[in-house]
Amino acid sequence: MAKRNNLLILILTIGVFGILNTEMGIVGILPLIADHFHISISKAGLLVSLFALAVAISGPTMPLLFSSINRKKVMLLVLGVFVLGNIVSIFASNFTILLIARVIPAFLHPVYVSIALTAAAASVSKEEAPKATSKVFMGVTGGMILGAPVSSFIANTTSLEMAFVFFTIVNAIAFIAILLFVPSMPVEERLSYGSQLSVLKKPITWLSIAAVIFINAAMYGVSSYLAEYLETITNIPGKTISLMLFIFGGASIIGNIVAGKLLTKNAIISVASFPFVLGAVYILLFLIGQFTVPMALIVLIFGIVVAIGNNISQYWITSAAPEAPEFSNGLFLASGNLGVTTGTSVGGLVISGMGTQYVVLGGFLFLILSLVFILMRNYKYSPINQFSR
């Protein structure tokens, strides 16, 4: 029984990894896509921002709509659509086709992630559920960590099309594994739409959503253009950019460990301090980003801080609505991706209007906004009663 559950969780995690890999892997090849289709880097950034917007729109709604359908069938549907989207991307003859092939699967992204978390928790005892869901979250982290550097490495050493082949293979492996090894998973018990939606009546939920949107806008409005920054400001070649992105991704492992300790020790202070820490990183990026060796150290620190920000975002929303964990995870996905959309759009505008080096200005703007909403929640809800309101 334990082996079967472990296999199930592993397969669910591979699927989450494949989906997040498709979402974030594109970041590592944006400059190559811009060159390939003869478009600006800000237009290529639509591949990140519109994908994230689709997730933001569907995050609170699509998991609810699919909540009564056999989970195995839904997961196969989602992964099948991702495989097809990536196959179309390989052969895309123009940028519009590539954009459509990415945005359509994005609407189903939150469905798989929320089902994977729910199915993992349901496969073990109530006491073991947090451990099971944390393993699935490793797929999220893995996709975010490895997606950009691996796609960048593949595209720079072979071709742009081969990066999309990589995305296709990972999703296809998860599809086949679910088809062959995951039993039928009919839904036996579900929360009513009303009970889940009721968390939206609480002001703390909306303060948390706003903070998370701006935190993610601040992080991804800059990090989405990291490959472009390394190419145009630091002036390093493609293969070295891949190495830098690996450093950025590898640092996320450290960031996840640090975040767990910080949020356990003193969550409120950790969240309130975050905008100041990321702001300091952006000052360094702006001042010494043109130097290769200092830039490697900045990229390492940046990767750690972004991973902490992801953990903080998830905690900030789920702690505001603990009575509806699945729906609050949907809100977390929606808010985070709305932030990615906002950040990458503004970052692209800043790069087009002022130059790549000034992309950090958009990051600063969103950090200030995030701090406002973090402090508003902290002022209105003390640590003692914030979970009960």
Side-chain angles (χ1 to χ4, degrees):
M1 183 72 176
K3 282 185 179 179
R4 193 174 72 187
N5 288 342
N6 286 336
L7 178 63
L8 171 65
I9 292 167
L10 175 63
I11 292 169
L12 294 172
T13 304
I14 291 169
V16 171
F17 170 75
I19 288 171
L20 266 294
N21 195 49
T22 299
E23 178 180 8
M24 300 311 297
I26 208 79
V27 171
I29 54 176
L30 282 183
L32 293 171
I33 288 170
D35 290 341
H36 182 78
F37 291 108
H38 308 292
I39 56 173
S40 66
I41 190 68
S42 58
K43 188 172 181 180
L46 290 173
L47 294 168
V48 179
S49 59
L50 290 186
F51 187 106
L53 180 60
V55 176
I57 292 167
S58 62
T61 54
M62 295 295 271
L64 287 176
L65 292 175
F66 282 91
S67 61
S68 61
I69 304 172
N70 187 299
R71 286 168 179 160
K72 179 177 179 176
K73 291 179 181 177
V74 176
M75 287 191 290
L76 287 173
L77 170 68
V78 175
L79 289 169
V81 171
F82 266 84
V83 170
L84 288 172
N86 282 316
I87 289 171
V88 172
S89 298
I90 296 168
F91 301 103
S93 57
N94 60 61
F95 182 71
T96 304
I97 292 172
L98 179 61
L99 197 58
I100 293 168
R102 273 184 59 79
V103 171
I104 290 173
F107 283 102
L108 294 172
H109 172 299
V111 178
Y112 185 95
V113 175
S114 63
I115 286 177
L117 291 168
T118 305
S123 71
V124 296
S125 66
K126 195 173 181 180
E127 293 75 26
E128 292 292 311
K131 286 185 182 177
T133 54
S134 70
K135 289 176 183 175
V136 175
F137 263 116
M138 284 175 63
V140 176
T141 305
M144 298 181 83
I145 288 172
L146 296 173
V150 170
S151 66
S152 175
F153 177 77
I154 292 170
N156 278 293
T157 52
T158 55
S159 69
L160 186 63
E161 288 79 10
M162 287 305 295
F164 290 113
V165 170
F166 169 67
F167 299 154
T168 307
I169 290 170
V170 176
N171 284 288
I173 289 170
F175 180 92
I176 294 165
I178 288 173
L179 185 66
L180 297 179
F181 301 112
V182 173
S184 179
M185 301 171 71
V187 177
E188 295 168 3
E189 181 185 353
R190 78 181 233 228
L191 291 169
S192 69
Y193 294 159
S195 64
Q196 296 185 71
L197 291 169
S198 65
V199 302
L200 295 174
K201 295 177 182 177
K202 302 192 302 179
I204 189 174
T205 303
W206 290 103
L207 289 173
S208 304
I209 287 171
V212 168
I213 288 171
F214 292 129
I215 286 171
N216 281 268
M219 294 192 301
Y220 292 100
V222 179
S223 66
S224 293
Y225 297 102
L226 185 56
E228 170 72 7
Y229 199 97
L230 291 166
E231 182 181 336
T232 58
I233 304 302
T234 319
N235 289 315
I236 56 178
K239 289 183 181 178
T240 311
I241 290 173
S242 300
L243 176 62
M244 288 281 207
L245 293 175
F246 267 115
I247 292 170
F248 182 83
S252 300
I253 299 170
I254 302 169
N256 280 315
I257 296 167
V258 172
K261 292 181 178 178
L262 289 174
L263 291 171
T264 304
K265 193 172 181 180
N266 196 323
I268 305 302
I269 290 175
S270 298
V271 176
S273 303
F274 180 79
F276 295 100
V277 176
L278 185 55
V281 173
Y282 286 170
I283 290 170
L284 290 173
L285 189 65
F286 183 80
L287 293 177
I288 55 175
Q290 66 268 39
F291 303 110
T292 304
V293 175
M295 190 59 180
L297 182 60
I298 293 167
V299 167
L300 175 70
I301 297 167
F302 193 11
I304 293 171
V305 175
V306 167
I308 293 171
N310 287 326
N311 282 268
I312 280 173
S313 297
Q314 198 266 345
Y315 165 81
W316 208 231
I317 289 185
T318 54
S319 66
E323 66 272 34
E326 288 176 41
F327 184 56
S328 63
N329 270 318
L331 290 174
F332 155 62
L333 286 168
S335 306
N337 281 276
L338 190 57
V340 173
T341 302
T342 307
T344 51
S345 300
V346 171
L349 288 172
V350 172
I351 289 172
S352 298
M354 301 176 69
T356 304
Q357 189 173 10
Y358 293 93
V359 72
V360 296
L361 294 181
F364 273 116
L365 169 66
F366 292 123
L367 284 175
I368 293 165
L369 291 169
S370 72
L371 183 62
V372 169
F373 284 97
I374 289 167
L375 295 178
M376 281 173 68
R377 170 173 156 172
N378 286 351
Y379 176 76
K380 190 167 183 178
Y381 300 91
S382 71
I384 295 169
N385 65 17
Q386 73 171 1
F387 290 98
S388 60
R389 295 201 177 202

